[in-house]
Amino acid sequence: MGFQYDDDVPVAIRSEVPTAKARTNRLLPWVVGGAVAAIAIGAWAIVQRSSPTPEGVETPAESTAATPNSLLGHRPYADAAPESLTPLASNAAIRLRSPAAKAFDELQAAAAREGVRLVPLSGFRSKKDQEALFFDVKAERNQSVTERASVSAPPGYSEHHTGYAIDIGAADQPATHLETTFEQTAAFRWLQANAKRFSFELSFPRNNSQQVSYEPWHWRFVGDLESLRLFYGDRSGTPAQ
């Protein structure tokens, strides 16, 4: 089959029938150039595969693998063992894991010395307690599951199950209990400035990654290995036991 030329090639050149040698000489630069380009592309691909991802940049696969085993934005937790729980000094009806209870008692006493009266509102809650809180209130308020999940975890998915989470209020401003207006109190400002000294942190700040509604009253203890494992460990597997 002879060579065909398109209309972009000048007529004078198209009218000539190239010899085999001329065709070879004419094609040689293109063949050599193509081979060089292929080698360069192959080398670039190898470098890309072997180069580490820059620190702090997730690949799509990493993003998928790191997705927590969550439900409606909440992570799974098992109930704390009853023998691991200790009543708070200021309210024996509220229990936390022993290290968290001790730390909260110390935090509360430190705040009182500075004229700030903190009150514990809720500590450990079982899955059964959470079931009523989630479904009964959902029905009472005529909420969808997503609306309810934005303000309360489904049973089996609450930090309160762990015995490390506590809801805190201002004793002198009960109207702010479990409300975002708590952030306007001296109690909240004191917690912001001092809670870390007692290994407590805010679980759901504004714009949190779990997309749970902002809860300035909800704090969790992260002062021992078990609490770190629960809140910062691998969340891709089964619920912690």
Side-chain angles (χ1 to χ4, degrees):
M1 180 182 293
F3 283 88
Q4 295 180 349
Y5 298 91
D6 58 32
D7 291 337
D8 290 335
V9 180
V11 175
I13 297 177
R14 281 191 279 118
S15 65
E16 297 176 0
V17 179
T19 63
K21 182 175 180 180
R23 289 197 300 269
T24 301
N25 290 341
R26 195 172 294 168
L27 289 173
L28 185 58
W30 294 97
V31 173
V32 173
V36 171
I39 292 171
I41 292 171
W44 176 85
I46 293 172
V47 170
Q48 290 298 310
R49 287 197 300 269
S50 61
S51 298
T53 302
E55 185 177 354
V57 177
E58 288 188 346
T59 64
E62 288 173 335
S63 297
T64 301
T67 301
N69 181 23
S70 62
L71 177 65
L72 297 169
H74 295 272
R75 297 168 180 168
Y77 299 103
D79 283 358
E83 62 272 17
S84 71
L85 301 171
T86 298
L88 298 181
S90 60
N91 187 338
I94 297 178
R95 297 175 298 160
L96 294 177
R97 295 238 197 165
S98 297
K102 181 176 183 295
F104 178 79
D105 289 343
E106 293 172 353
L107 175 150
Q108 189 179 36
R113 288 193 294 271
E114 297 182 31
V116 176
R117 295 172 56 215
L118 301 176
V119 57
L121 303 176
S122 180
F124 168 76
R125 287 202 299 263
S126 68
K127 292 179 184 178
K128 185 176 181 180
D129 296 332
Q130 194 70 19
E131 184 172 351
L133 183 64
F134 186 85
F135 290 108
D136 291 354
V137 176
K138 171 190 173 300
E140 180 183 321
R141 297 181 181 177
N142 193 29
Q143 295 175 314
S144 69
V145 290
T146 52
E147 288 171 334
R148 186 64 191 144
S150 72
V151 294
S152 182
Y157 291 79
S158 173
E159 290 189 347
H160 285 281
H161 298 334
T162 70
Y164 285 120
I166 183 170
D167 295 335
I168 304 173
D172 58 345
Q173 293 180 267
T176 67
H177 290 178
L178 306 179
E179 300 287 346
T180 55
T181 52
F182 176 63
E183 70 176 358
Q184 300 169 12
T185 66
F188 179 72
R189 290 191 293 273
W190 190 93
L191 285 168
Q192 280 188 307
N194 297 281
K196 291 178 183 178
R197 290 197 287 122
F198 301 89
S199 297
F200 281 92
E201 66 181 15
L202 195 62
S203 293
F204 304 117
R206 293 188 187 279
N207 304 314
N208 60 82
S209 61
Q210 292 179 238
Q211 298 184 353
V212 176
S213 294
Y214 172 51
E215 296 186 354
W217 62 86
H218 183 102
W219 298 73
R220 66 189 182 193
F221 178 78
V222 287
D224 65 5
L225 183 59
E226 179 65 8
S227 62
L228 293 179
R229 185 180 72 82
L230 285 171
F231 298 128
Y232 288 102
D234 178 19
R235 307 304 307 176
S236 60
T238 56
Q241 300 298 320

